[in-house]
């Protein structure tokens, strides 16, 4: 995301290298950050210039220069399949931009010039909800549903703020909903399967008060007495963002965790964004999700 706008990569995709740094194709720097990029094939040197700023990097080297000053990064420029990839943080910061990384949704946020430009009227108006940029003109489809791409940002942030915690011998489900555009609302379902059989369902929609959880703000639901902790077999959680008027979404976030045993795919945990349309593939977040933070019982 650059100044609130999502950047698409039509061919070469960003990736996280072995040093934990996000690498982007150098073309991104020229197109999204408005810099001039030069390449010397003999010395394998990348030169990036934007206004008074000049960055020089060499493929395979950790040393680089910013405006003539030699600096060192904890990764290198990479040349893969005839494409040059540069570490987005070091390059962006070298050009004076601010860079933030959200690990839960694997997204880099870059702000240039210290301010977020206001889009023209035909592009809509960007608003921010707990740091998530939202543009009604581009982030809502023709039926009023939040787009798949934007839904994932909100859903993963909510999941990062949901947990099962133990305090003073009591067991709670705690959560803090991110702010969301006023035309949308949260829907959360938490199913807890028991070894002895049966299931305990906590939800924002249930009519049973003892299992009801709020759908906005922060909450702390005491489950002590409703569940025998030693009898828990697995958890199944769904989170969605619904348009209040049409009560529809384009997909949900599903989280599954088995305490003793495995799921149908042989693993004991899974996080995936499941689109409403079966023609669109699921998007997995299992490898980057913090299960230990969520499941503390």
């Amino acid at each position: 995301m650059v100044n609130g706008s999502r950047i698409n990569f039509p061919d070469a995709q960003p990736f996280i290298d072995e040093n934990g740094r996000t690498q982007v194709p150098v073309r991104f720097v020229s197109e999204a950050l408005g810099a001039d990029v030069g390449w010397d094939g003999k010395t394998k040197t990348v030169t990036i210039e934007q206004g008074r700023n000049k960055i020089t990097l060499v493929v395979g080297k950790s040393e680089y220069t910013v405006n003539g000053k030699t600096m060192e990064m904890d990764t290198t420029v990479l040349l893969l399949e005839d494409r040059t990839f540069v570490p987005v943080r070091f390059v962006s910061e070298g050009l004076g931009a601010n860079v933030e990384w959200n690990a839960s949704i694997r997204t880099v946020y870059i702000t240039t010039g210290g301010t977020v430009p206001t889009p023209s009227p035909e592009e809509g108006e960007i608003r921010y909800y707990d740091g998530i940029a939202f543009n009604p003109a581009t982030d809502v489809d023709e039926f009023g549903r939040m787009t798949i791409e934007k839904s994932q940002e909100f859903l993963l942030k909510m999941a990062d703020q949901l947990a099962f915690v133990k305090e003073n011998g009591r067991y709670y489900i705690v959560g803090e909903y991110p702010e969301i555009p006023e035309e949308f609302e949260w829907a959360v379902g938490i199913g807890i399967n028991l070894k002895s059989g049966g299931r305990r369902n906590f939800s924002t929609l249930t009519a049973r008060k003892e299992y009801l959880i709020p759908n906005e703000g922060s909450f702390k639901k005491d489950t002590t007495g409703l569940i025998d902790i030693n009898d828990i077999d697995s958890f199944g959680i769904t989170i969605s963002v619904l348009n209040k008027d049409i009560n529809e979404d384009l997909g949900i976030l599903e989280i599954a965790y088995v305490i003793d045993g495995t799921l149908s795919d042989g693993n004991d945990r899974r996080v995936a964004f499941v689109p409403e349309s079966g023609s669109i593939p699921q998007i997995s977040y299992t490898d980057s999700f913090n299960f230990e933070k969520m499941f503390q019982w």
Side-chain angles (χ1 to χ4, degrees):
M1 300 287 293
V2 178
N3 293 332
S5 297
R6 179 178 295 276
I7 304 300
N8 294 312
F9 296 85
D11 39 35
Q13 301 297 308
F15 65 92
I16 297 176
D17 66 20
E18 61 182 10
N19 298 306
R21 293 297 184 179
T22 303
Q23 297 271 357
V24 295
V26 72
R27 176 180 174 185
F28 157 85
V29 178
S30 60
E31 295 185 348
L33 300 182
D36 294 321
V37 177
W39 167 252
D40 186 331
K42 293 181 179 180
T43 61
K44 296 184 178 179
T45 299
V46 179
T47 302
I48 300 170
E49 295 184 78
Q50 183 193 63
R52 299 180 179 179
N53 296 317
K54 180 178 180 180
I55 306 172
T56 302
L57 311 97
V58 180
V59 172
K61 301 289 186 180
S62 60
E63 285 190 349
Y64 67 111
T65 64
V66 177
N67 300 327
K69 181 180 179 180
T70 300
M71 305 180 73
E72 187 165 356
M73 52 189 172
D74 54 9
T75 190
T76 64
V77 175
L78 299 175
L79 188 61
L80 302 173
E81 297 181 356
D82 295 325
R83 291 184 181 273
T84 305
F85 287 81
V86 295
V88 67
R89 175 175 294 278
F90 296 103
V91 170
S92 299
E93 290 181 342
L95 295 176
N98 179 64
V99 180
E100 295 183 8
W101 164 249
N102 188 322
S104 64
I105 57 177
R106 298 168 68 85
T107 301
V108 178
Y109 292 87
I110 300 172
T111 306
T112 63
T115 60
V116 177
T118 302
S120 58
E122 64 270 20
E123 295 175 316
E125 180 182 353
I126 294 177
R127 293 172 285 172
Y128 285 84
Y129 299 88
D130 281 352
I132 297 178
F134 183 83
N135 186 338
T138 58
D139 296 330
V140 178
D141 73 3
E142 63 269 31
F143 301 106
R145 300 168 299 188
M146 190 179 294
T147 63
I148 287 177
E149 293 81 6
K150 188 55 59 175
S151 293
Q152 291 174 70
E153 289 189 64
F154 281 103
L155 296 175
L156 286 163
K157 184 157 190 175
M158 174 55 202
D160 187 54
Q161 298 175 177
L162 178 67
F164 302 82
V165 302
K166 179 181 180 181
E167 295 180 3
N168 301 318
R170 303 189 72 83
Y171 297 89
Y172 300 91
I173 303 173
V174 298
E176 182 175 356
Y177 292 99
E179 293 180 327
I180 203 166
E182 52 277 4
E183 62 268 35
F184 295 93
E185 63 183 357
W186 293 100
V188 175
I190 300 171
I192 301 177
N193 298 304
L194 306 179
K195 298 175 183 176
S196 58
R199 179 181 173 95
R200 300 291 182 266
N201 293 306
F202 296 85
S203 171
T204 55
L205 303 174
T206 182
R208 298 185 60 178
K209 185 177 180 180
E210 66 269 34
Y211 294 105
L212 180 66
I213 56 177
N215 69 347
E216 61 182 359
S218 59
F219 66 90
K220 186 176 184 179
K221 181 71 175 181
D222 191 344
T223 66
T224 309
L226 297 175
I227 300 173
D228 177 358
I229 298 299
N230 296 317
D231 193 30
I232 295 177
D233 174 72
S234 60
F235 296 82
I237 302 166
T238 60
I239 308 174
S240 59
V241 177
L242 300 169
N243 181 297
K244 293 179 181 178
D245 294 331
I246 61 175
N247 198 36
E248 288 187 10
D249 57 58
L250 285 175
I252 62 175
L253 187 72
E254 289 188 350
I255 303 169
Y257 177 60
V258 181
I259 294 178
D260 294 312
T262 60
L263 298 164
S264 59
D265 59 5
N267 298 308
D268 64 353
R269 58 192 66 187
R270 179 178 68 242
V271 179
F273 179 80
V274 182
E276 183 272 338
S277 172
S279 63
I280 302 174
Q282 296 185 16
I283 302 170
S284 175
Y285 292 97
T286 304
D287 293 340
S288 60
F289 191 77
N290 191 339
F291 285 87
E292 287 69 28
K293 179 183 177 182
M294 174 174 279
F295 299 102
Q296 301 177 35
W297 281 357

